[in-house]
Amino acid sequence: MKAQLIARFFGSDTALCTEVGQREGQVLVSTGQAGYLLYGPYMTLEPGHYLVELYGSADAASVADAFADVCVEVGQRILTQQRLQATADGQDGLLAPITFTVGAGCQDMEVRVRVGPDNNIYVGLVEIYKIADISRIGIIVVTYGDVPALLVNSINSQHMCKWYIHHHGSKLLNDEISKLFTDKESSLHFHCENRGLSKSWNDGIIESAKSGNDITVVINDDVEFLGNGFDDWVEFILAHRNHGLIFLMGEEPQDDGTVVVRSQDFACFSFGTQASKLVGAFDENFAPAYYEDVDYIVRASLVGISIYTDERVLCRHKRSSTQKNNIEISEQLPIFLKKNRDYMITKWGSDTGSYTHPFNELTNSIYIPFRETIE
């Protein structure tokens, strides 16, 4: 990511205002009151991508209710918001790297740091960068029995990520999932019913396209990235921009303590323009899950879209965790598999695909148009 420094402000700079803090030398220090420790500097910015880096000190207890955001239009429109991160042993360090996009230019870009009561935080430096090559990534995740904290916490991307979450499980998880995405740009849908994996994947892909994202990825909720694995995969995707599907390799812990390395296929994939234009949506007749991926690969192969796999081991996948952790899913699994396998055989002549057209009818199109179904 190429970044050009365009402004630097110390905590002592009067362009940075405070509501509940006090200036001590070159830093703004919290005083035990809740409110805005910092706001300003009300900059004029041209359209483009930007990065704000906040430096200072905060302990782990303080960052639980401390947030930073970037806003415009006299604070009425928040462009992005995230939690502060604790610095090592309360020493000076990076409190927050915040990326944001200015669409039509602005006259009053404002960075704000809001602290809670009794927080021990100070801000000493605010740096603002113009970014040349940042990308917008749409991340689609369907959840059922677990909160995807491992996945979310493993993605600390230099790119601008927006999450599209479709929850199919119990309402009891709604609050936990909402809390996990408090400081993320996200669109949360609590269906709280097993409405079908294909349907939510399709809806997420539609949402991501409407948001104008450069890349759309679909990731299982039981996947986590290793190290800088997510951004490494994004760079691979960017190197193959005009793609259909892109997979990656991941390690899978086994019950006997061994680890298998294999392609993650549709557990973690990038959905490209070729797939959108030539193959279209996932077949929602495969419900609630299983064989929708096999059907898609058959259709993708018949129209000849490009399919790549990043051969580096970039993630860890606890495969089938939804099935293993949910008795009701486990009990119904044989029913799901039989129903969808029967439909696959009817549609393609075998469970791996034998016909050249759906249902062996030359007039039937391989392409399935997208149809938004968010309720």
Side-chain angles (χ1 to χ4, degrees):
M1 178 173 61
K2 298 176 182 178
Q4 176 188 3
L5 180 67
I6 59 174
R8 174 182 287 128
F9 301 92
F10 293 99
S12 56
D13 197 308
T14 56
L16 301 180
C17 307
T18 185
E19 179 184 50
V20 297
Q22 64 183 27
R23 300 185 199 275
E24 295 183 5
Q26 288 194 317
V27 303
L28 273 173
V29 183
S30 60
T31 59
Q33 303 176 67
Y36 287 106
L37 171 61
L38 176 153
Y39 60 97
Y42 302 103
M43 287 181 63
T44 297
L45 296 178
E46 62 185 18
H49 302 302
Y50 294 88
L51 166 70
V52 170
E53 292 186 334
L54 300 172
Y55 292 90
S57 172
D59 56 33
S62 295
V63 297
D65 55 357
F67 295 85
D69 67 31
V70 175
C71 56
V72 294
E73 298 173 9
V74 199
Q76 296 302 302
R77 185 161 69 93
I78 296 175
L79 301 181
T80 187
Q81 173 182 280
Q82 67 184 65
R83 278 195 176 91
L84 298 187
Q85 58 192 30
T87 55
D89 300 321
Q91 301 300 309
D92 286 352
L94 181 64
L95 293 171
I98 311 170
T99 53
F100 64 99
T101 296
V102 174
C106 70
Q107 305 298 316
D108 62 348
M109 186 281 294
E110 181 181 1
V111 181
R112 303 186 299 191
V113 175
R114 184 173 180 83
V115 297
D118 303 318
N119 282 177
N120 181 23
I121 296 175
Y122 71 74
V123 178
L125 182 66
V126 178
E127 292 186 332
I128 302 169
Y129 295 86
K130 179 75 179 294
I131 301 171
D133 57 355
I134 196 169
S135 296
R136 290 189 60 87
I137 316 295
I139 305 174
I140 300 162
V141 182
V142 176
T143 59
Y144 187 85
D146 297 299
V147 178
L150 287 176
L151 170 61
V152 174
N153 293 333
S154 72
I155 297 180
N156 297 301
S157 180
Q158 67 177 357
H159 300 284
M160 300 188 68
C161 298
K162 180 168 182 179
W163 297 78
Y164 304 89
I165 306 302
H166 290 261
H167 180 54
H168 289 189
S170 169
K171 293 180 180 179
L172 297 176
L173 293 180
N174 289 8
D175 288 345
E176 277 191 80
I177 293 173
S178 296
K179 185 177 180 181
L180 180 63
F181 291 95
T182 298
D183 58 345
K184 308 291 184 186
E185 186 179 359
S186 59
S187 177
L188 308 181
H189 302 280
F190 295 104
H191 307 290
C192 299
E193 64 174 352
N194 208 351
R195 70 199 290 259
L197 188 62
S198 290
K199 183 177 289 189
S200 286
W201 278 0
N202 289 339
D203 283 343
I205 290 167
I206 292 169
E207 289 180 285
S208 184
K210 286 183 176 179
S211 298
N213 293 317
D214 302 299
I215 293 172
T216 294
V217 296
V218 182
I219 308 175
N220 275 24
D221 62 350
D222 53 5
V223 168
E224 64 175 308
F225 285 87
L226 304 173
N228 199 45
F230 181 77
D231 275 4
D232 289 342
W233 187 42
V234 167
E235 293 308 310
F236 182 89
I237 295 170
L238 290 171
H240 302 82
R241 280 187 178 272
N242 185 32
H243 67 273
L245 299 168
I246 294 182
F247 305 117
L248 80 167
M249 301 295 288
E251 60 180 41
E252 298 182 8
Q254 305 297 297
D255 292 338
D256 61 3
T258 61
V259 175
V260 173
V261 173
R262 54 163 288 189
S263 172
Q264 294 307 292
D265 300 330
F266 286 90
C268 190
F269 65 98
S270 174
F271 187 87
T273 54
Q274 289 184 22
S276 179
K277 293 178 179 179
L278 299 178
V279 188
F282 288 85
D283 187 341
E284 295 178 12
N285 291 299
F286 292 99
Y290 302 106
Y291 281 95
E292 67 285 312
D293 52 350
V294 181
D295 170 82
Y296 206 89
I297 274 294
V298 170
R299 292 159 55 207
S301 299
L302 287 171
V303 298
I305 66 171
S306 59
I307 300 174
Y308 303 95
T309 298
D310 190 330
E311 298 293 339
R312 296 171 294 179
V313 180
L314 302 178
C315 71
R316 180 182 297 114
H317 180 197
K318 297 179 180 178
R319 188 174 288 275
S320 301
S321 61
T322 298
Q323 170 196 335
K324 293 175 182 177
N325 298 335
N326 295 273
I327 295 175
E328 69 276 16
I329 293 294
S330 180
E331 290 177 344
Q332 295 179 63
L333 177 60
I335 300 172
F336 298 160
L337 283 172
K338 184 180 185 308
K339 178 177 75 74
N340 287 347
R341 182 175 183 271
D342 288 347
Y343 176 62
M344 180 73 190
I345 292 171
T346 300
K347 183 176 181 179
W348 291 108
S350 71
D351 59 5
T352 56
S354 300
Y355 300 150
T356 58
H357 286 76
F359 306 103
N360 206 26
E361 290 288 342
L362 296 180
T363 56
N364 288 338
S365 176
I366 290 169
Y367 179 82
I368 297 176
F370 282 94
R371 178 177 56 87
E372 191 165 12
T373 58
I374 294 178
E375 298 155 0

